[in-house]
Amino acid sequence: MTTDKAGRVHSRGDARAHVAAAHAGKGQGPLLRISLYSLRHPWQASAAIGATIVASVLQLLIPRLLGHAIDQAQDVLSVGAAGAEQALFWSAMLLLGLSVARGIFTLLQNYYSESVGHHVGYELRLAFYDKVQRLPYAYHDKVHTGDLITMGLLDLDGVRMFFSTGLVRVVLLSVLIGVGAYMLLSTDFVLGLLALSFVPFVAWRSSVAQLTLRATWIMLQDKLSALTRVMEENLGGIRVVRAFSGQKFELAKFDVASKEALELSHERVGIRVRNTSAMTFSFFAAMGLVLWFGGNKVIAGEMSVGTLASFLTFMTILQMPVRQLGLMVNSFARASICGDRLFGFLDEPISIADEPGVPDLKVTKGTLKFDNVSFTYPGANHPTLDGVSFEAHAGETIGIVGAPGAGKSTLAHLIPRFYDVSGGHITIDGQDVSKVSLQSLRRSVAVVQQDSFLFTTTIENNIAYGDPWSKETKIEKAAESAQLHNYIMGLPAGYDTVVGERGVSLSGGQRQRLSIARSLVLKPAVMVFDDSTAAIDAGTEHRIRSAIRRYAKDRVTLVISHRLSSLLHADRILFLDNGKIVEEGSHEELLAAGGRYRALYDLQTRPTEDIEMGSAAQ
Amino acid sequence: MSAIEEEDREVAAFPGQRPPRASVGSHRIEEEVFGKAYDPKTVRRIWAFVKPYQTKIYISVGAVLVFTATQLAIPLIIGRAIDSGMTQGGNTTNLLWAMVAFAVAVLFNFAASYVQETEVGKVAENVLFDMRRAMFAQLQRVSLSFMDKTEVGRLMSRLQGDVNSMQEFLETSVISVGDVVLLIGIVVVLLTLDFRLGLLTLSTMPILFIVRIFWLPPAKRAFWAAHETNSITAGAMAEGINGVRTVQNLDRQKVNFDLYDDKAYNNLLTQLTGSRYAQVMVPIVDSLTGIAMATVVVVGGSLVLNGGLEIGVIVAFLFYIQRFFDPIRSLTMQYSIMQRAMTSGRRITEVLDVPVSIADKPDAVTLTRDMDGSVEFKNVTFGYREDNPVLKNVSFLVKPGETVALVGPTGSGKTSAMSLVHRFYEVQSGAVMVGGHDVRDITQESLGEQVAMVLQEPFLFTGSVFDNIRYNKTSATLDDVIAASKAVGAHEFISRLPGGYDSVLEQRGANLSLGQRQLLSFARALVADAKILVLDEATANIDSYTERQIQKALLTLLEGRTGMVIAHRLATIRGADRIIVLQNGELIETGNHDELMEKGGLYSKLYNMNYASFDDIPDEVVAQANAKAAST
C-alpha cells in the first residue's frame, strides 16, 4: 500500500479487498477465523513467530552461558590461569552477542506481532464500517447504536490483539517452558522438577485471576457507565434539578452509584493483590528449594556452582512469561467471545442491495406510482401498509395525513428503499425501484426526515452532505429557500460555524430547516417531507413552501404533516388509516365530503375552550 | 430546484478522490501535555484529599521500603550462601543459615507486597471517588450562570479523565518511592560488594539515562499521535453509526468509506510508528545488560584470579544486573505521569474553586405550603452581563391563584423573568418576592419545593417512568403518581408501555414522543404539588391529538395554583386571567385578552397578524407593529 504526498491512501482497491476478505473463513470458529485473518499477512506473521522462537531460545541460552562462565571463573582458582582468562573473555563476548541478538529478536517479535494486529484491526475496521453503512434500516431498527459502537471498538480490539497477546504468546511459552524444561531436566532431573514446580501453580492462579478480573471488569464498566449517566444527566438537566430543588436527591443518587463502583474497584484490587502475592511467594519458595537442594549437591560434589546459578537464572527468566499466562488465557476467552459477535455482524446478510448489473434509474417525466403496495414490519402481525395505490406526476404536491401509526412515514421510507415492500410495486417512470441501482434511486428521491442527524462539521458541509462537490452558491440558495440563510449569516463564523455534537447546537426547528436545505441541494425528482416541519412555526413554514414551490414544477412532492395548514396547498390529500387510503381529494373536496378529514380539521381549528364548553362550531 | 442551477453534479475525477468538503467524524484534539511536573500549589490541594488516608499512605511507604529491601537482599543472600559453604565438601550449617535468611526475606517480601499493593490501590480509588464527589457537589451549588457558559462535555472530562490521571499518579508515586530506593540500594550494594567492579558495571546506567532523555520526547509524541488518531477513528465510526440513516438517505456511503479509510489508515501508520518507538528500547536495554554482564565476567573473572573477589559476589552481581534497568524505565515514565497529574490537578481545583455566588443567608426563612402564593416583581433590573440588562425596571404582581401569561417576541426577557422567580440568577436591582418574601431571604430548597417549573424542552432521566414522575418527592406513592398521570392524561399511554410505570426510559426517554415526554414533565410538576407553577410552553408542533391533551393537562395543572406561563399558543394566552406583554426587557402592556385587544397596542397588532406564535414574528414585523401601536 502506498501513500501520496499529502499522506493520503489511494489504494481504494486494497480497501475494498479488505472488506471482501472479511468473509474469509465464514462458518469456522472465531479463533480459527482470526488466525486465518492474521495469515493474510504471511510475511509479517511468520517474521513474528520466527523471531519469537529465536528470541526464546536465545533467552534460554543466557543462563547456560552464565553458569558456564561462573564455572570457568571458579576453575581459574583450581586449575590455574593458563588459558582461563582467554576462555572467560570468549564467554563474555558470547554473552554480549547473545544479549544483543536476543534484544533484536525480541524487538522483531514484538513489533511484527503488533504490526499484524494493527493491520488486522485496520482491515476489520474498514469491513465493519462498510457493513454498518450497508445494512438497511430494518437492521438498525433492531440493534441499539451503543451495541454497535461497543462492537466496533471493544470487540474489534479483542479480535485484533489476539495474534500478539494470544497466538504469539502460545509460541513463546511453549518454547520457553518446553525447551527450558528439557534443558533443566536433562541436566538434573530432581532439581529441574523443583525449579519448575512453581510453573503449574502460577499458571493456574494467573489464569483464574485474569478471568475473574475480566468478569469483574465488565461489571465495573456497567457500574461506571451508570455513574457517568447520573453525572451527565444531572449536568444536562441542571435546570430541572434546580427547579425541583433536587440537589440533595441527586447527590444521593451519585453516592449510591459511586459506592457500588467503588466497592467493585476494591474487590478488583483485592483479587489482583492476592494473586500476585501468592504467585511471587510460590516462585520464591521454589527458588528456596532449588537453593537448598542444589547447595547440598554442590557440597556433595554432585553439581557445580555454575550449574546451580544457571538454574536460578533460568527461574528468573521464566517467571515473567509464566505470570503472563493468565493474559494469554484471557486473550483466548476474549477473542472467542468478541470474534463470535464481530464475525456474526460481518456475516449479517444485506437484504437491500443491488442485484449484479442493475441499470441506473432514468428519470424522464417524473411519475411516481404506488401499485397495491403492502408492507409489514419484520415480526409484526399486522401490515402497516395495506394495498396502497396512487399516482403522482411531476409538479404535483400530495399531502398525506392520518393518526400516528397510520403508516405515513413507512410509506415515505419505501420509496428510496429504506425498506422493501412486502407486496405490490413502487415505480418511478415505470421502473420498479427494486430493479434500479440503489445509488441512482437515492439520489433521485430525497426524504426530509423529522429528526435528521447533524454531523460535527461546518454548516456548509452539513448542507452539502449529500453532494460534497456542490458549489457554494448552490448551498446558499438551498439555505435561503429553507429560510436558514439569515440565521447562518447572523452567526459569527457564518457558514463555517461548526455544528453538531461538539459544536454549536441548533434548535429543533433550525435542524429541520437545515435538513430541508440538505435535500434541496440534491435536486431530487421526488421529495418527501416526512413531518419535517413539525418544529418550524407556521409562518416560516409558509415561506419555505413558497420558496420551494417556485422550483417544484418538475418534481413530485409528498408532504406528510400533522398540521393541516401545511397541506392546504396540496393538489391532492390522502387520508391514511390503518395502512389504507380511506379518503382522497383536494382540501375543499375532503371538507365538503364531511368525513374523517373534516373531523380532524374541526378538531384543529376550534379553540380548546369552545370544546370544553360544548358549544361547538358556530 | 432544477431551475436554480442546471449544471450537473460534478463527479470525482478519479475513483477515491476525496471531495472538497471532506468530513467524517469529530474529535476534539486535546492539547499535548508538556507542563510542569511539580507545582506546589496544586500538590497542596491534592494532598488535602489524600490527608484523610495519610496513615495508610505511611504504612504503604513503609511496606514499599521493606519490599525493596527484600528485593535487594535476596541476591545478596544467594551470593553469601555460595561463598560461605558452597564448595565441594563445604559447610552445610552455613547453607542452612543462608536458607533461614532467605526464608525470612521471602516472607517479608510477601507480606510487604501484599500490604503495599492493597493499601495503595484502595487509597488511590478512594481519593479518586472523593475528588469526583467534591467536584460534583460543588457543581450542584454553583450558580447557573457558570453552568450556562460551560459545556457539559468539558465538565465530564474533569469528572472522569482528570480524576483518572490523578489516580494513576497516586498509584505510581508510591511505587516510584520504591524505585528510587531500589536504584540507590543497587548502587550502594554493588559499590560495597566490590568498588571497582561496581563502578564499571554502573557506568552503563548513565548511558541508558542519556538514551532515554533523547528518546522520550519523540517517543511521547509518537504515542500521543497514535492515541489521537485512534480517538479520531473511533469518533468517525461512532458518528457513522449514529448518523447511518441520514448517510443512507443522502447516499453518502462511498464518500464516507473513503474518508474513513484515510483516518483508519493514518491510525495504522501512527500505531506502527508508536510500536517502533516502544520496541526500539528493547535491544538497547538488552545490549547494555549484555555489556554489564560481559564486564562482570571478564573483570570479575580476572579479579577472582587475583584472589580479590569471591565467586558468590559475581553471582550476586549477575542477579542485580537482571533488574538493573527496571527502576530507570519506570522513573522516566513517572515524569510524564506527573506532568499529566499536575495539569489535571489544576483543572480539578479550578472546578472546586468556582465561587458559589448564590447561597442561603444564615437566617433564611423556610417557605411553607401555607404562604399565600403571590409573586411580585418590584422594579427588577437584570442582565447576564452587568452592562446589558435583559429586564429593565419591571414591576408586576401575580395574585394568589391567578394565571398570568407572559407574552413577547424572542429576546423580550420572558425566560429570564421566569428564572428569577426560582432565583437561578440574582437581580441587579429591585426584588423578586414570592409569598411576600424576597427570594434572597428564603432557603433555596424550600423555594424549589413551593415553585414548580416546567421547561420548554422536557427533560427526562434514565430510569423508570415512576421514578421520573416522582423525581425527588420520595414521599409520593405509586397511587399519587398514577393519580397525577391520570390528571394530565398520561396514564393511558403509560399503561400501554410494556412495563407500565416500571418501564425504563432509555436515553432520556428517546423511546417516547415529544408530546408524551411533555405530559410526563407535567405529571412530575403535579406530583411536586407546589403552590406556584412556572411554565414555559413548548413551541414545537405536536400532532393534534396529543396537543389537545396537553392543553387540557395545562388547565388541570394550573387549577388552584398561581401560574406564570410563557405562552406561545393563542388558546393558552386567551385562557389566562391576565397577559403581560414584554418587549426588549420592558413591560409595555398588561390586561386580559379583551382589554388588550380593545387597547389596540402591540398585543392586538401581533394577534391580528395570525402568526401561530409570538416568538416567531420577525423583528422587522414587530418593529412595524410597534410603530403602528405608537402612532395610534
Side-chain angles (χ1 to χ4, degrees):
Chain A
M1 195 170 293
T2 52
T3 47
D4 66 9
K5 280 177 215 119
R8 291 190 315 194
V9 205
H10 287 306
S11 41
R12 225 173 109 85
D14 278 12
R16 287 286 163 200
H18 297 324
V19 172
H23 297 288
K26 201 166 169 172
Q28 309 281 7
L31 294 183
L32 181 61
R33 209 159 152 188
I34 303 172
S35 314
L36 289 176
Y37 220 99
S38 311
L39 291 180
R40 293 192 63 230
H41 304 277
W43 194 93
Q44 301 200 32
S46 16
I49 290 178
T52 306
I53 296 171
V54 176
S56 8
V57 170
L58 290 175
Q59 178 92 318
L60 289 170
L61 287 176
I62 287 175
R64 268 267 149 119
L65 209 61
L66 275 179
H68 187 62
I70 290 171
D71 285 341
Q72 280 176 330
Q74 204 163 33
D75 286 348
V76 169
L77 293 174
S78 45
V79 184
E85 273 200 61
Q86 196 151 18
L88 264 183
F89 177 77
W90 285 117
S91 293
M93 285 305 111
L94 203 55
L95 206 52
L96 176 59
L98 272 184
S99 296
V100 174
R102 180 186 66 174
I104 289 170
F105 280 98
T106 310
L107 173 145
L108 293 177
Q109 167 203 327
N110 292 344
Y111 177 73
Y112 281 115
S113 53
E114 280 181 22
S115 169
V116 168
H118 288 311
H119 277 95
V120 167
Y122 164 69
E123 292 157 13
L124 282 174
R125 274 194 192 114
L126 289 183
F128 181 84
Y129 190 84
D130 182 68
K131 196 76 185 190
V132 167
Q133 294 205 108
R134 277 170 195 271
L135 281 167
Y137 275 34
Y139 181 85
H140 291 291
D141 289 344
K142 66 173 197 239
V143 178
H144 202 273
T145 52
D147 292 340
L148 277 184
I149 292 174
T150 309
M151 206 189 287
L153 299 179
L154 297 182
D155 287 350
L156 204 142
D157 265 345
V159 169
R160 171 177 79 76
M161 308 214 295
F162 177 65
F163 183 76
S164 57
T165 57
L167 286 181
V168 169
R169 224 178 272 264
V170 170
V171 175
L172 177 78
L173 277 171
S174 315
V175 175
L176 274 185
I177 298 179
V179 178
Y182 170 76
M183 285 165 67
L184 286 189
L185 294 176
S186 62
T187 311
D188 186 313
F189 190 74
V190 177
L191 208 58
L193 277 185
L194 288 177
L196 292 170
S197 62
F198 77 100
V199 172
F201 177 79
V202 170
W204 169 61
R205 279 323 307 167
S206 153
S207 308
V208 171
Q210 279 305 326
L211 293 179
T212 327
L213 281 175
R214 188 169 137 72
T216 52
W217 184 81
I218 291 168
M219 288 193 319
L220 181 62
Q221 288 307 307
D222 262 7
K223 301 281 178 211
L224 285 177
S225 61
L227 181 63
T228 303
R229 209 168 47 225
V230 168
M231 295 191 289
E232 235 166 25
E233 294 189 349
N234 172 281
L235 298 175
I238 192 88
R239 277 167 191 275
V240 174
V241 174
R242 301 288 172 99
F244 286 83
S245 287
Q247 289 100 319
K248 276 188 195 153
F249 180 69
E250 290 288 316
L251 271 175
K253 266 208 296 201
F254 174 88
D255 284 342
V256 170
S258 179
K259 190 161 165 266
E260 284 181 353
L262 183 61
E263 275 167 8
L264 213 53
S265 305
H266 280 182
E267 200 183 313
R268 278 174 57 76
V269 172
I271 296 171
R272 203 178 57 216
V273 173
R274 273 196 301 280
N275 282 292
T276 47
S277 308
M279 288 191 282
T280 312
F281 186 76
S282 75
F283 168 73
F284 279 130
M287 196 178 241
L289 289 176
V290 170
L291 203 56
W292 171 247
F293 285 99
N296 276 315
K297 283 196 174 206
V298 173
I299 292 170
E302 293 164 17
M303 185 181 260
S304 72
V305 173
T307 312
L308 179 59
S310 79
F311 267 72
L312 296 175
T313 323
F314 177 77
M315 287 177 76
T316 28
I317 282 176
L318 201 56
Q319 192 203 175
M320 236 17 231
V322 174
R323 277 176 166 234
Q324 288 170 350
L325 194 98
L327 293 177
M328 184 190 89
V329 172
N330 185 36
S331 167
F332 269 77
R334 190 173 166 206
S336 162
I337 298 167
C338 296
D340 231 12
R341 268 199 298 256
L342 186 69
F343 288 123
F345 173 79
L346 292 177
D347 292 345
E348 189 77 33
I350 295 174
S351 55
I352 299 183
D354 287 343
E355 303 270 332
V358 284
D360 283 349
L361 174 72
K362 285 185 193 61
V363 181
T364 48
K365 286 209 256 94
T367 305
L368 170 73
K369 191 174 171 195
F370 270 60
D371 180 13
N372 202 20
V373 170
S374 299
F375 178 76
T376 309
Y377 279 99
N381 298 324
H382 299 288
T384 307
L385 286 181
D386 189 2
V388 171
S389 298
F390 68 89
E391 198 173 314
H393 303 281
E396 269 191 318
T397 300
I398 310 286
I400 298 171
V401 276
K408 304 186 297 287
S409 290
T410 308
L411 188 150
H413 286 170
L414 292 179
I415 307 173
R417 271 186 92 194
F418 292 150
Y419 301 91
D420 267 338
V421 296
S422 320
H425 301 279
I426 299 172
T427 57
I428 294 173
D429 285 337
Q431 303 152 80
D432 193 319
V433 292
S434 61
K435 299 279 179 344
V436 294
S437 72
L438 270 180
Q439 183 177 347
S440 65
L441 175 67
R442 290 187 180 163
R443 299 222 150 175
S444 308
V445 180
V447 178
V448 187
Q449 279 162 332
Q450 189 177 12
D451 197 11
S452 87
F453 190 83
L454 272 191
F455 296 90
T456 304
T457 175
T458 63
I459 291 189
E460 178 176 324
N461 289 1
N462 260 297
I463 296 178
Y465 200 76
D467 181 6
W469 284 275
S470 56
K471 289 189 175 153
E472 263 172 47
T473 47
K474 196 166 156 187
I475 294 166
E476 277 182 28
K477 272 185 184 144
E480 270 168 23
S481 299
Q483 307 298 313
L484 196 61
H485 180 73
N486 286 343
Y487 167 74
I488 298 172
M489 294 314 283
L491 293 170
Y495 278 87
D496 293 332
T497 309
V498 174
V499 291
E501 204 185 334
R502 293 190 183 276
V504 172
S505 58
L506 298 184
S507 74
Q510 286 157 349
R511 271 212 307 275
Q512 290 188 342
R513 280 185 266 167
L514 192 144
S515 147
I516 293 172
R518 232 180 222 171
S519 301
L520 287 176
V521 167
L522 296 179
K523 293 192 254 165
V526 176
M527 190 156 176
V528 188
F529 292 87
D530 183 8
D531 207 7
S532 43
T533 52
I536 301 174
D537 68 275
T540 309
E541 186 193 350
H542 182 73
R543 272 171 282 156
I544 295 174
R545 295 235 174 274
S546 25
I548 293 177
R549 204 172 307 122
R550 271 179 273 152
Y551 310 111
K553 61 179 188 304
D554 45 11
R555 173 195 304 153
V556 171
T557 309
L558 297 188
V559 181
I560 295 167
S561 182
H562 291 300
R563 182 155 45 192
L564 294 188
S565 62
S566 312
L567 305 175
L568 288 180
H569 304 289
D571 299 301
R572 237 168 337 131
I573 296 169
L574 312 178
F575 195 105
L576 270 186
D577 186 42
N578 273 327
K580 289 193 170 101
I581 297 177
V582 291
E583 288 177 30
E584 184 171 356
S586 70
H587 173 67
E588 288 73 20
E589 287 165 12
L590 289 179
L591 274 192
R596 304 283 299 271
Y597 182 83
R598 171 87 212 194
L600 184 63
Y601 180 79
D602 288 345
L603 192 68
Q604 284 198 15
T605 45
R606 284 179 305 172
T608 323
E609 304 94 284
D610 300 345
I611 305 263
E612 304 280 288
M613 292 185 298
S615 61
Q618 295 105 358
Chain B
M1 186 71 189
S2 54
I4 295 182
E5 273 172 40
E6 283 306 332
E7 100 277 317
D8 274 313
R9 176 190 300 270
E10 294 94 319
V11 183
F14 60 91
Q17 187 191 330
R18 308 320 190 237
R21 294 184 185 82
S23 150
V24 60
S26 70
H27 172 69
R28 192 204 308 277
I29 305 290
E30 288 167 50
E31 60 183 294
E32 202 172 331
V33 183
F34 280 125
K36 264 195 280 184
Y38 182 77
D39 171 15
K41 233 167 67 194
T42 311
V43 169
R44 232 173 295 134
R45 294 295 297 273
I46 299 169
W47 178 247
F49 283 96
V50 182
K51 208 162 176 235
Y53 307 100
Q54 55 177 323
T55 333
K56 290 188 171 191
I57 294 281
Y58 294 144
I59 292 174
S60 329
V61 171
V64 168
L65 294 181
V66 173
F67 179 72
T68 312
T70 59
Q71 275 187 307
L72 281 170
I74 287 171
L76 267 184
I77 294 171
I78 295 173
R80 283 309 303 160
I82 291 173
D83 287 337
S84 63
M86 231 183 266
T87 43
Q88 200 172 340
N91 189 341
T92 324
T93 326
N94 283 344
L95 180 61
L96 191 64
W97 278 115
M99 286 313 298
V100 171
F102 184 82
V104 170
V106 168
L107 281 176
F108 270 104
N109 179 288
F110 174 71
S113 83
Y114 187 85
V115 170
Q116 170 228 324
E117 288 194 39
T118 316
E119 293 307 318
V120 172
K122 288 188 179 170
V123 167
E125 293 279 359
N126 280 330
V127 169
L128 158 108
F129 278 85
D130 290 352
M131 278 184 172
R132 189 183 282 154
R133 189 179 194 283
M135 275 196 281
F136 187 73
Q138 177 72 3
L139 290 175
Q140 302 306 305
R141 284 193 296 266
V142 300
S143 77
L144 272 184
S145 14
F146 171 79
M147 300 301 286
D148 287 344
K149 53 180 191 247
T150 316
E151 283 169 59
V152 171
R154 189 170 292 255
L155 289 175
M156 286 306 291
S157 86
R158 301 286 165 276
L159 286 162
Q160 299 188 302
D162 286 330
V163 160
N164 284 337
S165 61
M166 293 305 302
Q167 182 199 13
E168 179 190 35
F169 166 68
L170 287 173
E171 274 186 353
T172 53
S173 52
V174 174
I175 296 166
S176 300
V177 173
D179 282 330
V180 173
V181 177
L182 185 63
L183 195 60
I184 297 170
I186 289 178
V187 171
V188 172
V189 170
L190 289 189
L191 292 179
T192 323
L193 280 177
D194 188 282
F195 190 75
R196 288 154 303 172
L197 190 57
L199 211 55
L200 271 176
T201 319
L202 289 172
S203 62
T204 51
M205 253 190 207
I207 299 177
L208 184 64
F209 248 122
I210 291 163
V211 170
R212 279 190 77 91
I213 285 168
F214 282 104
W215 169 84
L216 201 56
K220 242 168 88 174
R221 267 195 294 277
F223 299 154
W224 192 266
H227 171 79
E228 279 294 295
T229 54
N230 203 35
S231 314
I232 290 170
T233 317
M237 180 184 286
E239 195 180 78
I241 291 170
N242 287 323
V244 67
R245 285 182 171 77
T246 307
V247 168
Q248 293 189 359
N249 195 349
L250 297 170
D251 192 46
R252 162 99 172 190
Q253 294 95 314
K254 282 210 174 106
V255 171
N256 279 3
F257 181 80
D258 289 343
L259 294 175
Y260 182 75
D261 182 19
D262 284 353
K263 292 193 192 239
Y265 191 71
N266 192 24
N267 179 35
L268 173 65
L269 296 181
T270 52
Q271 293 285 0
L272 291 177
T273 311
S275 257
R276 258 175 242 136
Y277 268 106
Q279 296 304 329
V280 76
M281 285 310 287
V282 174
I284 293 174
V285 170
D286 272 359
S287 304
L288 289 174
T289 314
I291 291 172
M293 286 195 294
T295 312
V296 171
V297 169
V298 172
V299 180
S302 65
L303 283 173
V304 170
L305 185 67
N306 303 336
L309 197 69
E310 289 179 282
I311 291 291
V313 175
I314 293 188
V315 176
F317 258 86
L318 291 175
F319 268 96
Y320 283 122
I321 288 168
Q322 306 283 329
R323 36 194 352 180
F324 212 45
F325 299 109
D326 293 353
I328 298 180
R329 188 170 13 204
S330 52
L331 279 176
T332 40
M333 274 298 163
Q334 179 66 15
Y335 185 77
S336 314
I337 293 174
M338 276 181 76
Q339 282 181 317
R340 205 159 41 231
M342 287 305 135
T343 314
S344 295
R346 217 171 35 246
R347 291 194 197 133
I348 290 172
T349 49
E350 271 166 24
V351 172
L352 292 174
D353 293 345
V354 174
V356 179
S357 51
I358 298 184
D360 288 349
K361 282 188 184 166
D363 54 347
V365 295
T366 307
L367 206 59
T368 54
R369 189 84 179 77
D370 49 342
M371 59 114 180
D372 66 9
S374 65
V375 175
E376 188 177 5
F377 274 55
K378 282 184 174 168
N379 305 319
V380 171
T381 297
F382 164 74
Y384 298 95
R385 289 205 321 260
E386 200 67 31
D387 53 339
N388 185 15
V390 180
L391 290 175
K392 298 165 199 158
N393 202 22
V394 170
S395 298
F396 61 83
L397 170 71
V398 186
K399 287 179 272 202
E402 199 183 21
T403 297
V404 164
L406 289 179
V407 165
T410 310
S412 56
K414 294 168 299 188
T415 313
S416 308
M418 178 166 126
S419 306
L420 291 180
V421 178
H422 234 290
R423 204 185 166 203
F424 282 171
Y425 310 96
E426 296 284 44
V427 295
Q428 278 168 12
S429 67
V432 176
M433 319 285 287
V434 169
H437 299 280
D438 190 322
V439 289
R440 285 168 291 194
D441 298 330
I442 305 172
T443 62
Q444 291 176 76
E445 195 177 353
S446 67
L447 182 65
E449 278 164 14
Q450 295 312 323
V451 184
M453 196 175 216
V454 176
L455 302 168
Q456 196 176 57
E457 293 262 323
F459 188 94
L460 299 177
F461 296 86
T462 302
S464 71
V465 171
F466 173 71
D467 284 339
N468 261 290
I469 295 178
R470 186 173 71 155
Y471 191 53
N472 65 336
K473 182 125 182 169
T474 40
S475 59
T477 61
L478 179 60
D479 289 337
D480 297 337
V481 167
I482 293 177
S485 308
K486 278 186 176 156
V488 299
H491 180 70
E492 202 192 325
F493 85 82
I494 295 172
S495 317
R496 262 186 282 130
L497 293 174
Y501 283 84
D502 293 329
S503 310
V504 173
L505 301 177
E506 296 293 339
Q507 303 182 328
R508 300 178 192 171
N511 44 349
L512 299 180
S513 76
L514 181 60
Q516 290 172 331
R517 276 182 277 161
Q518 208 124 37
L519 289 178
L520 285 190
S521 76
F522 280 15
R524 183 193 285 158
L526 198 60
V527 167
D529 193 24
K531 198 108 188 207
I532 299 167
L533 179 78
V534 183
L535 185 141
D536 195 348
E537 201 175 31
T539 44
N541 199 285
I542 298 162
D543 71 88
S544 36
Y545 305 93
T546 317
E547 173 76 51
R548 191 132 293 251
Q549 251 166 352
I550 289 176
Q551 289 288 338
K552 271 197 243 166
L554 191 56
L555 291 177
T556 317
L557 208 51
L558 287 167
E559 213 172 271
R561 274 174 245 279
T562 309
M564 269 176 78
V565 182
I566 298 181
H568 305 288
R569 310 208 184 290
L570 296 178
T572 316
I573 297 172
R574 284 172 51 185
D577 297 319
R578 204 143 49 87
I579 299 163
I580 290 174
V581 184
L582 287 175
Q583 197 197 357
N584 288 330
E586 283 171 279
L587 191 156
I588 55 170
E589 288 178 306
T590 174
N592 67 26
H593 176 72
D594 296 333
E595 286 166 11
L596 288 178
M597 287 308 286
E598 201 160 312
K599 201 174 163 202
L602 178 66
Y603 179 82
S604 69
K605 297 277 181 279
L606 294 180
Y607 187 84
N608 287 329
M609 278 180 193
N610 266 334
Y611 276 97
S613 147
F614 280 12
D615 295 82
D616 296 304
I617 302 175
D619 291 343
E620 60 271 19
V621 181
V622 176
Q624 277 170 23
N626 250 331
K628 260 194 230 161
S631 65
T632 44

